[in-house]
Amino acid sequence: MKGKSKRARNARPKLEIDKLKAVFATPPFNNCAGWDRLTEPSIENVPVIFHCALYFVPILIYYTGCRREELCGLMVDDVIVDNGNIPYLHIAKNARRRIKNDQSQRNIPLHPEVLRLNFLQYLRAIKALGYGLLFPDLFSPSSRSPLGDRFYKEFKPILQAAGVNEKGLGAHAVRHLFGAQLKKRMVTEEERADLLGHGGESETSERYCEPHEVATLMQFVMKLPVITADLEPQDIHLLPWVAERQVAPFSQPSRSKSAGATILSRERHLQDAVILDVSQVTQASSESCSVRLIADEARVCAPLLYAAHSDHRAVEAPKYDGDSSQQTVNPRLGKTEGKNP
């Protein structure tokens, strides 16, 4: 109509349920060639499945309707298994990420299909290794990008292999499919809003109402058509570098602008200053060299370092100037700590 914009429901391309079924028929969910070849099919008869974000996040998006970043940034403590008979996800701001708005804070029950595919066993395995992040395979100490960006980089080839090539059909399209399927099954707008983290459209539905209990929300979630019935549950098989608590292989080493050697210290907490024994510093080919200490969990780093001269004179090291290459990321806290706080 003249003067009217297009309807919001037509603004985004739609992901058909058959196309999502095709996604779940690809190697990561059935039988892949290896931990570093998750998108390639294996020629072995024994199924090889690696339980990681690429496996669980697409399943969780469809059966919970959560946003990509809400799932990729989950902590192990955000999966609630000891509050009633129904395990659920507690979506709220945590140590790793924020949420979109106030109404995004909510509880989402876990569909029986998620449990059948050994999600809780995965949770216990990750927790036993001491991880705080539910999907540590998305974390890189050399990147400050949202964890969902890393997930989508791995998920996009899966979509393309399944024939989902239209622009705009990604993780959010799976979330949209969740809402569309519930609407087709007569779940009301207000009920869908409680699951999707949307606010009410009126004073009555927003201010004068309470969110549904988890048991009631489970009744809505159970109306979703099951599209993963062909997937066989497998014993938990973590990515090897996750199981060994190693740094992600896709991490990039930090770069330093200053000349000289870099000394890594992960055992000591630096206080006001650190003085090096000049006898332990190898004399550089030039007249002097600067030495930077990087502490993995230091809150305060040394502003003054000592380097070796031929006559053992002390020189002042360059101060931190805001360059991200001089920052470290605490993998336990999941946040960046500057060299000159």
Side-chain angles (χ1 to χ4, degrees):
M1 292 183 295
K2 186 176 181 180
K4 296 287 185 179
S5 59
K6 294 182 180 180
R7 296 189 67 177
R9 69 165 60 171
N10 299 324
R12 289 180 178 270
K14 307 298 187 297
L15 178 64
E16 298 179 0
I17 195 167
D18 288 341
K19 288 189 174 182
L20 186 56
K21 288 181 180 179
V23 170
F24 291 131
T26 56
F29 306 98
N30 295 278
N31 192 13
C32 63
W35 71 266
D36 54 347
R37 299 164 63 191
L38 296 174
T39 61
E40 301 176 25
S42 174
I43 60 175
E44 302 293 335
N45 293 327
V46 180
V48 178
I49 302 296
F50 287 92
H51 296 91
C52 56
L54 188 58
Y55 180 86
F56 277 119
V57 170
I59 294 172
L60 287 170
I61 294 178
Y62 175 71
Y63 286 113
T64 67
C66 289
R67 298 175 177 92
R68 180 181 75 183
E69 207 60 47
E70 289 175 342
L71 294 172
C72 293
L74 281 172
M75 308 297 286
V76 294
D77 292 338
D78 293 332
V79 185
I80 311 301
V81 297
D82 56 357
N83 186 20
N85 298 324
I86 302 175
Y88 61 90
L89 302 181
H90 179 59
I91 306 300
K93 179 182 176 181
N94 60 29
R96 191 61 187 85
R97 55 102 176 94
R98 301 178 180 179
I99 55 176
K100 186 175 181 180
N101 43 42
D102 290 341
Q103 56 264 32
S104 295
Q105 181 166 319
R106 63 202 189 279
N107 296 323
I108 310 293
L110 290 173
H111 193 283
E113 270 296 280
V114 178
L115 305 183
R116 184 183 72 86
L117 295 172
N118 288 341
F119 176 70
L120 294 186
Q121 287 87 333
Y122 169 81
L123 168 70
R124 289 194 288 269
I126 290 296
K127 198 169 185 177
L129 288 170
Y131 286 108
L133 196 62
L134 183 60
F135 298 112
D137 54 292
L138 298 177
F139 175 77
S140 167
S142 63
S143 174
R144 303 174 71 178
S145 299
L147 299 179
D149 289 357
R150 178 67 200 181
F151 162 74
Y152 185 68
K153 184 176 181 179
E154 297 178 352
F155 187 48
K156 187 175 180 179
I158 305 301
L159 293 171
Q160 294 173 338
V164 183
N165 299 310
E166 296 90 335
K167 184 178 180 180
L169 290 185
H172 189 81
V174 182
R175 168 176 154 88
H176 186 277
L177 181 62
F178 169 89
Q181 290 298 316
L182 291 184
K183 180 178 180 180
K184 290 180 179 180
R185 285 152 182 80
M186 307 305 293
V187 178
T188 68
E189 180 179 2
E190 185 175 334
E191 293 164 346
R192 299 197 307 273
D194 281 351
L195 289 167
L196 291 166
H198 292 162
E201 296 296 331
S202 66
E203 187 78 0
T204 302
S205 62
E206 179 64 23
R207 185 181 298 273
Y208 299 104
C209 68
E210 296 292 334
H212 285 297
E213 300 293 336
V214 170
T216 304
L217 293 174
M218 176 60 92
Q219 297 177 23
F220 306 148
V221 171
M222 289 297 294
K223 295 184 178 183
L224 283 168
V226 174
I227 62 174
T228 53
D230 293 336
L231 300 184
E232 293 293 334
Q234 304 290 335
D235 293 337
I236 296 304
H237 192 193
L238 300 177
L239 297 172
W241 58 270
V242 171
E244 296 172 7
R245 293 189 56 85
Q246 296 178 351
V247 176
F250 53 81
S251 296
Q252 299 295 326
S254 59
R255 298 178 180 178
S256 175
K257 290 183 179 180
S258 63
T262 300
I263 300 176
L264 298 179
S265 175
R266 297 187 180 220
E267 302 295 331
R268 302 173 59 190
H269 288 267
L270 303 183
Q271 299 301 324
D272 295 330
V274 176
I275 300 179
L276 300 180
D277 184 347
V278 294
S279 65
Q280 298 178 358
V281 180
T282 302
Q283 185 174 356
S285 58
S286 59
E287 292 183 358
S288 65
C289 69
S290 61
V291 180
R292 178 185 297 112
L293 289 180
I294 301 177
D296 186 44
E297 299 185 18
R299 297 184 61 188
V300 180
C301 294
L304 183 64
L305 302 176
Y306 288 87
H309 271 289
S310 58
D311 58 355
H312 292 174
R313 291 178 299 171
V315 295
E316 186 177 19
K319 295 182 179 179
Y320 170 67
D321 59 1
D323 178 32
S324 60
S325 65
Q326 299 184 39
Q327 294 177 308
T328 59
V329 177
N330 187 327
R332 181 172 299 173
L333 299 179
K335 64 181 182 179
T336 304
E337 297 176 346
K339 285 297 180 181
N340 190 21

